[in-house]
């Protein structure tokens, strides 16, 4: 059971629109649907999800922020779902798009959501008082994000990043290591064909009392859209999961 909820957390650890300079969607209300499959203990699960641009804002410096609400299926349970949030920012003066994979606040919300879903599956209810108490008990430090410059250097040195959550002696850490820019490729998915997608790779390591898990991730970002394809493999090259953009509404 634990592995399935960590899977949702990982998944959580996102054609038809006009192309633009940024590697994100800034059209509020747009819903991007992804076909996704994930392998757990030799069994393949349908983990398809949607990513909705719930709000778009612009600050005084012209930096645009797109807030994304993701709705994920729970592996092995077609009637349950987990919601979590992420965001993108784009600075037109520098041409830099940032994919904010997981902030401290969103990590806290994600843990609360997973805990509530786990309790519901066990026939228990997470009351408002219990939720408030749990929220106070969670401490989170760090931030996971990816820089997507307009013209990345292949040999760019990108620092490792990490985020850690702790709850009464229990802790979980996610580390993003060995990030690389792999150039540009055309990608064809059910939602359409996208040219000159930025291709990046990195290693994601999760550490918890249940053990450590390390995965290798490759993601393709299309201009004006964001991620259109993502693959996750283990150290032996075996496929753990794949996400492809299937539809845009």
């Amino acid at each position: 059971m634990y592995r399935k909820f960590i899977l949702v957390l990982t998944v959580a650890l996102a054609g038809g629109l006009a192309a633009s300079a940024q590697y994100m969607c800034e059209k509020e209300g747009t819903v991007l649907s992804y076909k996704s499959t994930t392998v757990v203990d030799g069994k393949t699960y349908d983990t398809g999800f949607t990513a909705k641009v719930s709000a778009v804002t612009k600050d005084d410096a012209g930096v645009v922020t797109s807030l994304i609400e993701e709705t994920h299926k729970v592996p092995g349970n077609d009637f349950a779902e987990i919601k979590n949030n992420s965001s993108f920012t784009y600075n037109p003066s520098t041409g830099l798009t940032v994919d904010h994979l997981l902030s401290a606040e969103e990590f806290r919300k994600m843990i609360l959501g997973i805990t509530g879903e786990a309790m519901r599956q066990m026939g228990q209810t997470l009351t408002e008082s219990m939720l408030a108490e749990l929220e106070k008990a969670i401490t989170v430090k760090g931030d996971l994000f990816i820089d997507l410059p307009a013209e990345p250097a292949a040999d760019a040195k990108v620092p490792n990043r990490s985020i850690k959550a702790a709850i009464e002696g229990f802790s979980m850490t996610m580390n993003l290591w060995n990030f690389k820019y792999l150039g540009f490729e055309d990608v064809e998915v059910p939602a359409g064909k996208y040219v000159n997608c930025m291709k990046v790779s990195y290693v994601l390591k999760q550490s918890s009392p249940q053990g450590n898990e390390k995965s290798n991730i490759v993601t393709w970002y299309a201009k004006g859209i964001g991620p259109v394809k993502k693959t996750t493999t283990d150290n032996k090259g075996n496929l753990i999961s794949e996400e492809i953009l299937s539809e845009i509404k």
Side-chain angles (χ1 to χ4, degrees), residues 7 26 53 79 88 91 101 132 141 146 163 178 187 198:
L7 166 62
E26 60 175 357
V53 183
F79 302 99
F88 288 81
N91 188 334
L101 298 173
K141 294 182 179 180
I146 292 175
I163 190 167
N178 197 27
V187 176
M198 185 184 296

Side-chain angles (χ1 to χ4, degrees), residues 10-57:
T10 304
V11 170
L13 286 80
L17 296 182
S20 52
Q22 68 274 24
Y23 292 94
M24 67 181 223
C25 178
E26 60 175 357
K27 184 178 179 182
E28 191 169 316
T30 300
V31 178
L32 299 96
S33 298
Y34 292 84
K35 290 183 178 179
S36 177
T37 56
T38 304
V39 180
V40 180
D41 297 331
K43 186 173 182 179
T44 300
Y45 293 90
D46 174 9
T47 50
F49 66 97
T50 60
K52 180 180 180 180
V53 183
S54 58
V56 178
T57 61

Side-chain angles (χ1 to χ4, degrees), residues 1-11 74-75 80 82 110 113-119 121 172 206:
M1 178 67 71
Y2 171 80
R3 285 177 59 82
K4 291 182 181 179
F5 284 108
I6 291 301
L7 166 62
V8 176
L9 183 63
T10 304
V11 170
V74 175
I82 294 290
M110 190 180 298
I114 291 173
T115 302
E117 182 58 40
M119 292 183 66
Q121 290 203 22
M172 179 178 180
Q206 299 177 80

Side-chain angles (χ1 to χ4, degrees), residues 9-205:
L9 183 63
T10 304
V11 170
L13 286 80
L17 296 182
S20 52
Q22 68 274 24
Y23 292 94
M24 67 181 223
C25 178
E26 60 175 357
K27 184 178 179 182
E28 191 169 316
T30 300
V31 178
L32 299 96
S33 298
Y34 292 84
K35 290 183 178 179
S36 177
T37 56
T38 304
V39 180
V40 180
D41 297 331
K43 186 173 182 179
T44 300
Y45 293 90
D46 174 9
T47 50
F49 66 97
T50 60
K52 180 180 180 180
V53 183
S54 58
V56 178
T57 61
K58 181 182 292 187
D59 65 16
D60 294 339
V63 176
V64 180
T65 298
S66 288
L67 300 179
I68 311 297
E69 181 184 76
E70 296 182 3
T71 302
H72 291 264
K73 296 179 181 179
V74 175
N77 188 335
D78 294 336
F79 302 99
E81 60 184 27
I82 294 290
K83 291 185 180 293
N84 61 271
N85 297 277
S86 60
S87 66
F88 288 81
T89 56
Y90 172 65
N91 188 334
S93 65
T94 62
L96 177 66
T97 302
V98 180
D99 182 356
H100 300 275
L101 298 173
L102 190 60
S103 67
E105 181 59 28
E106 294 308 329
F107 199 10
R108 180 179 288 104
K109 290 179 181 178
M110 190 180 298
I111 292 171
L112 292 172
I114 291 173
T115 302
E117 182 58 40
M119 292 183 66
R120 280 190 290 273
Q121 290 203 22
M122 292 185 292
Q124 301 178 20
T125 301
L126 184 64
T127 65
E128 290 296 327
S129 60
M130 292 169 62
L131 182 65
E133 186 175 346
L134 178 61
E135 189 168 9
K136 289 180 181 179
I138 300 173
T139 59
V140 185
K141 294 182 179 180
D143 192 5
L144 291 186
F145 62 93
I146 292 175
D147 288 335
L148 304 170
E151 297 294 336
D155 58 350
K157 301 297 182 182
V158 179
N160 296 332
R161 298 181 173 117
S162 65
I163 190 167
K164 179 179 180 179
I167 315 171
E168 298 180 349
F170 170 89
S171 66
M172 179 178 180
T173 303
M174 301 178 72
N175 298 287
L176 193 158
W177 294 341
N178 197 27
F179 184 91
K180 295 179 181 178
Y181 297 106
L182 302 179
F184 298 87
E185 292 183 356
D186 295 347
V187 176
E188 188 166 2
V189 293
K193 184 175 181 178
Y194 301 92
V195 299
N196 295 325
C197 295
M198 185 184 296
K199 183 180 181 181
V200 304
S201 69
Y202 56 92
V203 175
L204 185 66
K205 180 181 178 182

